[in-house]
Amino acid sequence: KRKDDLPAHCQVKGYVTPQVGFEIRLPVNNWNGKFMETGCGGTCGVITIDWLCPGPLRKGYACITTDMGHEDRSGGGLWAYNNPQEEIDWGFRATHVTAIAGKAITEQYYRKTPSKAYFMGCSTGGRQGMVEAQRFPWDFDGIIAGAPASDQSGTIMIRLWAALAMRDKDGKSILSSTDLQLVHDAVVDTCDMNDGVKDGLIGDPRACHFDPLKLVCKGQSSTECLSMEQANALKKIYTGPMTSKGKEIYIDGALMPGAELAFGGYFESKFSSFDVNFLRYMAFVPDPGPNWQPSDLNFDRDYKRFGMMESFYAGTNPDLRKFKAAGGKIILYHGWSDAGPGGIPPLKTVDYYETVEKTMGGPAATQDFFRLFMIPGMGHCGGGEGALDIDYLSHLEAWVEKDHAPDAMIGKHLDEERNDPKNIKFTRPVYPYPLRAKYKGSGDPNDAASFVPESP
C-alpha cells in the first residue's frame, strides 16, 4: 500500500487482549532488517502512526504504534474512570505488548528476526520510552525519548499552578500576550549573552537571574511595564507550586526564564482539558469524577495522594543497570523553553538525569549508554526560537550499531514560513549535558562551527 510519498508497504492492524490496538507498516522492498516502535501523545486513544512512522518507514524500518489500550478521539479521559485495566495499559503494559506483537509480525512477514529494535517518542511517547528502559530493559536496543511526561501528576500540578497564578480572583487573566512579549524581550535582553553571542537565545536559563519586579510601573507610567500583581504572578510561575506555608512542593517545579511566550496558553478561557480530566479520572484513588474542578485542587495535600496511580505511570526510576547490561542506549532530549498547557517542565528531565548519574556511578558510567541533550529555545517536542531540527535517529543508529557515541549533534532552525529543509536560518551544536554551546568569539554566529562546548 502507498500513502503520500511513502514507499510501498504492507499495513497490518490488530490488537492485543483485551484491547491494546496497534498498526504496523512493513516495507515491501528494501527492509533494513530493523524494527521501530513510535510513541503517542497526551492520553493517546488513537493510532498516531502518521506522526512518527513515515521517517523510519522511508529508511526501511518496520514501524508500529499503539493506541495504548483504549479509544478516545476526544482526549476526554473518561475511558479511565474507575478502569484500572486501561490505566495499566496506558501506564506501561501497552507499549511492551505492542513491541512483542510487532516483532513477531515482523519476523513472520520477513521470515527473519529483526537485527535491532528501536523506540522513538516525545511527551507521553518520551515517557513510554523511559518506562521501557526501566521496566522492560530487553525490548529495545536503543531509545529516543523527548520531553518525557515521566511524572505526569506532578507536571499537571505545576501547569495548573501556573494557570491559577495567571488569573485574578474572578478567574480573569491578569497578563496579556503583549505583557508576556514585554517580559520575554526583557528576559532575553538580560540573559542573551550567556552563550557568548547576542542571538536571541538563552543558552542555559538556569543562569538567567531575571526579576520581574524590575518591570513594575514607576510613578505615573502605565505602559511598557507591569503591575505588582502581574510581576508577582510571574514570580510564582518561575518558582513553582508551594504550600500555603510557602514550602516548595517540587525541587523541579519551576518554569524557565525565556519560555514566557508559551505562558499565554495558561490564560485561555478554559483550563487545559487534558490536565483537568487527568485529575478527574486518572490521578487519584478513588477518582473524584466529572464534578471535580481546578478550584478544588489543594496544594497542601493533593500531591501526597498521587503515589498510587503514579505507580502505574511513572518513568522516574533511576536504576538503569539492567538496560545498560543489555547493551541499550538512550538519547534523551528536552527544550529549555518547554512550557504551556501541554508542556513538561525541563527541570524534571534534568533532575532525573542527574539522579541517574548518582545511581549509575557517575557521569562517565552514565554517558557510556545514556546522554541528555537540552535544546535552547525549543518548546514542547519542537517549535520555538532554537535550532531544534535534529536527526536523533541517525545518531542513535551510529551509537548502537557502530559504537559512535553522540558527542555533538547539529540542530537546524528552518524558516518557519516555508519550512523548507534547504532554507536553514542558522545551526547550533548541542552537546551532552551538562556541556552547553558557547560562541568561540569569531566566525559566523549562524554557523554551528563557530561554537564550542563549555562546562557550566
Side-chain angles (χ1 to χ4, degrees), residues 40 96 107 148 157 188 245 258 272 292 311 437:
C40 55
H96 171 60
E107 182 174 358
M157 280 278 280
V188 171
K245 295 183 179 179
S272 162
W292 186 92
S311 67

Side-chain angles (χ1 to χ4, degrees), residues 432-447:
Y433 181 87
L435 298 178
R436 55 196 182 195
K438 184 84 169 182
Y439 182 59
K440 63 183 183 182
S442 62
D444 182 358
N446 291 320
D447 186 347

Side-chain angles (χ1 to χ4, degrees), residues 180 259-266 337-341:
L180 292 176
E260 295 78 21
L261 298 184
F263 293 177
Y266 293 124
S337 293
D338 196 349

